[in-house]
Amino acid sequence: MNMKRLLIGTAFVSLLAFKSDNTEDDFIRNNYSFATQQIKNMLKETVHQKPLTFPRTIDAGGKMVSTSMYDWTPGFFPGSLWYSYEFTKDQSLAAAALNWTEKLEPLKDFTKHHDLGFMMYCSYGNAYRLTGKAEYKDILVQSARSLSTRFNPVTGSIKSWNGFKSWHGNKIYPFPVIIDNMMNLELLFFASKVTGDTAFRHVAVSHALTAMKNQIRPDYSSYHVVCYDTTNGKVAARETAQGYADNSTWARGQAWGIYGFTMVYRETKDARFLKTAMGMADWFLDNKNLPEDKVPYWDFNANEAGYTPGINSYANKVTDKPRDASAAAITASALFELSRYAGAKEEKYKQAAIKMLHSLASPAYRAPVGSNGNFLLMHSVGSIPHHTEIDVPLVYADYYFIEALQRYEDQLKK
Ligand code: GLY
């Protein structure tokens, strides 16, 4: 080929790449702008809610439902406000983010369940990242201390809930650990880095190693709940709380695992965690039951032969298979990060994340402006076994959708 043709060809390819990046930039801007409009509308709606409650979903009439700050989700609305401020630099959003974050300060001493990572790292973690205020760091460190009180050296794990009642009858397990708990470890790694106290890190790594051993199946699918015997640290039961059956794979549980193990690899550089994150991601993406748009059904094995819900689970009564947009949003965000560590699988994970984001941003999942109680995404599932929040918007689906957009933008800039 002569030099002139080669140069023209190269220029054409660069132009195409430039054009496609531009299109994707527009995609991100369009979604940021949509998110900001909805979030600003939601802020106006919150004045009608009870004080110290936080947006979570909508009721059957489409009105916003808020939950107590002691539930597991209060950090997500402040977190979304911080992300919205970050991409708009709109000071009114910073003021709102500050206001909603600071309501959560009393939680720094909360020890009644394991979700302090979600509650505080999504709110105060973003606040500290964007403002650098020392008092936020102190609140995060105190929160990490509170979370650490739930660690038991015999089980090597943080206790998720104070008890788990099996769907099979009346048995209550006193030391349940759920796969979601992987997400709370980020707060501990943060506390270890800013204080130099390796005890936090020790708790996080021990929990992650134990989960890797007991919560992840040999094919890299996941159990939702592993219950431990605290007298000897042995596994007493492996069941589900929010999934279809004990032996099935709850879609959001798998998503928490992909995100959690990716984050633990980032913090430790221990190859075992990367292998687990990639195994879980491959299981999710290569699954025959993953729909073409890559937004999973609420459980990968819902209504499949060989999987039976416990007798008391409402999953017995649900014959359709709702999607869970929250699981796709969490996974998309995780895959953007995982792709950076994945070597030969970088493109596989990145392209899957982009596909998920485009599906979520399509009219099939993204709500029209001014609708959906001002939440961004439709079609998530809280818990079918508990007969709650089925095919609704959820505040955490929105949070991880925005985070995934930001991670996508970061990758495009590189
Ligand atoms: N961590 C609770 C849930 O994912 O529903």
Side-chain angles (χ1 to χ4, degrees):
M1 190 189 287
N2 72 30
M3 190 50 83
K4 197 167 157 201
R5 279 178 76 185
L6 181 68
L7 283 176
I8 292 170
T10 310
F12 183 65
V13 170
S14 315
L15 190 69
L16 274 185
F18 177 70
K19 188 168 178 299
S20 82
D21 276 5
N22 266 355
T23 313
E24 290 306 275
D25 277 341
D26 289 348
F27 167 79
I28 292 167
R29 305 266 127 241
N30 169 299
N31 279 289
Y32 276 169
S33 143
F34 160 74
T36 306
Q37 285 177 71
Q38 287 291 87
I39 285 169
K40 284 190 166 176
N41 288 338
M42 185 175 279
L43 269 174
K44 289 186 204 139
E45 276 306 306
T46 53
V47 297
H48 305 301
Q49 302 290 311
K50 274 202 216 136
L52 290 183
T53 63
F54 289 71
R56 161 90 155 243
T57 182
I58 56 174
D59 63 19
K63 284 241 165 315
M64 185 201 290
V65 173
S66 290
T67 52
S68 146
M69 65 191 259
Y70 299 101
D71 206 322
W72 73 281
T73 51
F76 295 116
F77 184 55
S80 295
L81 285 165
W82 283 117
Y83 280 133
S84 304
Y85 159 66
E86 194 172 6
F87 54 73
T88 56
K89 302 289 179 283
D90 177 335
Q91 288 305 323
S92 72
L93 285 168
L98 208 74
N99 174 34
W100 281 85
T101 297
E102 290 185 349
K103 291 179 200 203
L104 297 178
E105 197 245 331
L107 291 178
K108 66 183 191 297
D109 298 315
F110 181 78
T111 57
K112 294 199 173 136
H113 58 67
H114 69 142
D115 283 317
L116 226 52
F118 283 118
M119 296 151 102
M120 299 305 262
Y121 204 68
C122 299
S123 53
Y124 276 98
N126 279 308
Y128 181 64
R129 182 174 66 81
L130 292 170
T131 68
K133 272 197 190 174
E135 65 185 271
Y136 294 163
K137 180 178 70 183
D138 297 343
I139 289 168
L140 286 162
V141 171
Q142 178 53 30
S143 306
R145 273 188 210 111
S146 299
L147 177 58
S148 300
T149 62
R150 299 185 64 84
F151 180 72
N152 180 323
V154 179
T155 65
S157 301
I158 296 166
K159 179 160 73 169
S160 293
W161 304 320
N162 294 340
F164 163 62
K165 185 167 174 203
S166 168
W167 290 118
H168 301 286
N170 290 322
K171 190 163 174 60
I172 295 178
Y173 294 98
F175 198 104
V177 176
I178 62 174
I179 183 73
D180 324 28
N181 206 338
M182 289 298 301
M183 300 295 286
N184 294 314
L185 308 182
E186 195 164 7
L187 174 67
L188 301 176
F189 285 114
F190 169 86
S192 207
K193 281 185 285 193
V194 296
T195 59
D197 182 347
T198 54
F200 295 116
R201 188 183 169 82
H202 169 74
V203 168
V205 171
S206 167
H207 184 96
L209 286 170
T210 310
M212 194 168 73
K213 182 163 141 232
N214 295 328
Q215 205 118 21
I216 310 305
R217 303 187 184 107
D219 66 356
Y220 291 103
S221 63
S222 48
Y223 291 101
H224 183 206
V225 190
V226 176
C227 305
Y228 290 93
D229 179 337
T230 51
T231 61
N232 55 21
K234 289 200 174 134
V235 172
R238 290 184 174 91
E239 298 199 5
T240 196
Q242 282 160 268
Y244 184 72
D246 298 342
N247 60 340
S248 74
T249 298
W250 177 46
R252 193 162 60 251
Q254 191 74 7
W256 292 140
I258 298 167
Y259 194 120
F261 281 106
T262 301
M263 174 273 296
V264 175
Y265 173 69
R266 180 218 305 148
E267 298 297 336
T268 60
K269 293 291 173 247
D270 181 328
R272 291 172 294 177
F273 296 127
L274 179 60
K275 192 168 175 226
T276 303
M278 289 174 66
M280 293 189 81
D282 289 339
W283 187 93
F284 189 112
L285 297 175
D286 302 340
N287 199 286
K288 68 175 173 35
N289 293 334
L290 183 67
E292 212 278 315
D293 66 4
K294 298 200 191 302
V295 177
Y297 299 109
W298 71 281
D299 188 295
F300 277 92
N301 309 106
N303 310 349
E304 245 191 318
Y307 300 87
T308 309
I311 43 167
N312 295 326
S313 167
Y314 189 75
N316 286 301
K317 302 207 167 78
V318 176
T319 49
D320 60 344
K321 285 201 294 183
R323 303 293 189 95
D324 184 8
S326 77
I330 296 156
T331 304
S333 185
L335 290 177
F336 279 120
E337 177 167 16
L338 184 59
S339 69
R340 293 174 23 220
Y341 316 136
K345 289 194 172 163
E346 176 179 354
E347 272 309 299
K348 172 181 177 181
Y349 298 151
K350 196 158 74 181
Q351 292 311 323
I354 293 170
K355 170 82 182 171
M356 284 176 188
L357 263 190
H358 276 268
S359 296
L360 293 174
S362 76
Y365 298 95
R366 201 183 95 170
V369 175
S371 72
N372 202 36
N374 302 308
F375 290 92
L376 312 185
L377 300 179
M378 306 178 283
H379 306 311
S380 288
V381 168
S383 180
I384 286 186
H386 295 88
H387 194 186
T388 54
E389 300 172 337
I390 302 175
D391 195 14
V392 290
L394 287 168
V395 67
Y396 41 97
D398 291 1
Y399 175 87
Y400 289 102
F401 176 65
I402 301 175
E403 185 183 82
L405 282 169
Q406 196 193 67
R407 288 180 171 190
Y408 186 21
E409 185 181 38
D410 287 349
Q411 291 213 345
L412 284 178
K413 279 192 207 140
K414 283 193 187 121

